[in-house]
Amino acid sequence: MIKDSVYAGGAIQTLLQEEEIEGVQLALDLNVSPQLVSHMKNDRRKMQKDIAQQSLQVYDNPIYAMEIIHEFSGGYTSPVLNGKAIDDHRLAVEQFAFMEVEEAVETLKRINFIKPPDETTKDEQERIAQAIDEIIDAEAGLSYLKAILAKEYNISLKERMKKRHPVWKARGWIQ
């Protein structure tokens, strides 16, 4: 479920900083008042879904996009990994993502999915839940790596995704 509105102060602050713009410029770009931008930036007002959609059309900023999509999805997508234990350097993020993917693969190798779901034991269910956790961690690491690489090398994620759709269609992955 996509939320109709969210507090997006952190995401807006990220966007202003990353794009090196002021709130007045953001207001002009999104066709809203500077006061509304200020209120949203300081979490005094929620950002509405239509404003978020407009902001994603206007700005091609992968870190902001990750933040805003995470908020509007209610936490269904990966957040920006910005904790104390994460180094933002692309090599560190690459190593982190690689380690998380390896952990997920190793966990999956230890699970047998041949048995139908309704025939699994509680212990097997727990191992499957742990595998899902590892996949989520790997996905978060890869998503953040994708955003960091796109940002640092000035590559549009929107354009890359558009170019992948015909490939996926040709492979029969999507319709």
Side-chain angles (χ1 to χ4, degrees):
M1 177 182 102
I2 301 298
K3 294 181 176 183
D4 290 328
S5 63
V6 299
Y7 287 108
I12 292 171
Q13 290 175 22
T14 295
L15 182 63
L16 294 172
Q17 181 180 358
E18 296 267 329
E19 296 294 320
E20 298 178 348
I21 60 172
E22 299 292 325
V24 173
Q25 183 61 52
L26 180 60
L28 287 170
D29 292 344
L30 300 181
N31 199 29
V32 297
S33 71
Q35 293 81 6
L36 179 58
V37 169
S38 176
H39 286 306
M40 290 186 304
K41 180 177 105 175
N42 294 300
D43 283 336
R44 290 190 303 266
R45 290 270 311 268
K46 289 183 174 184
M47 177 185 273
Q48 300 299 312
K49 182 170 48 175
D50 62 330
I51 296 172
Q53 288 173 324
Q54 176 68 16
S55 70
L56 291 171
Q57 292 297 317
V58 172
Y59 296 102
D60 191 0
N61 185 293
I63 304 297
Y64 169 73
M66 268 186 87
E67 284 188 50
I68 206 72
I69 292 168
H70 175 72
E71 290 300 325
F72 273 91
S73 74
Y76 197 75
T77 63
S78 299
V80 172
L81 303 180
N82 58 6
K84 291 185 270 183
I86 299 292
D87 181 346
D88 279 348
H89 191 278
R90 66 187 174 277
L91 295 175
V93 175
E94 176 194 35
Q95 186 62 36
F96 173 80
F98 188 74
M99 287 174 18
E100 292 303 323
V101 168
E102 279 185 328
E103 287 177 21
V105 169
E106 288 306 312
T107 300
L108 288 169
K109 284 180 181 178
R110 292 190 301 268
I111 298 174
N112 183 343
F113 293 104
I114 293 174
K115 192 187 285 187
D118 58 344
E119 295 296 321
T120 56
T121 65
K122 279 204 180 276
D123 186 51
E124 290 167 329
Q125 285 280 330
E126 180 56 34
R127 285 198 309 271
I128 292 167
Q130 289 170 353
I132 291 170
D133 290 347
E134 292 297 336
I135 292 167
I136 291 169
D137 292 348
E139 181 182 34
L142 289 171
S143 292
Y144 192 52
L145 177 60
K146 175 181 68 176
I148 289 292
L149 294 175
K151 173 187 162 190
E152 289 196 12
Y153 289 98
N154 199 28
I155 295 171
S156 169
L157 281 184
K158 282 196 250 186
E159 292 303 314
R160 300 310 312 162
M161 289 297 286
K162 284 180 191 174
K163 289 181 179 182
R164 296 312 296 163
H165 277 255
V167 173
W168 298 337
K169 211 171 209 174
R171 291 179 181 171
W173 294 0
I174 62 173
Q175 293 185 11

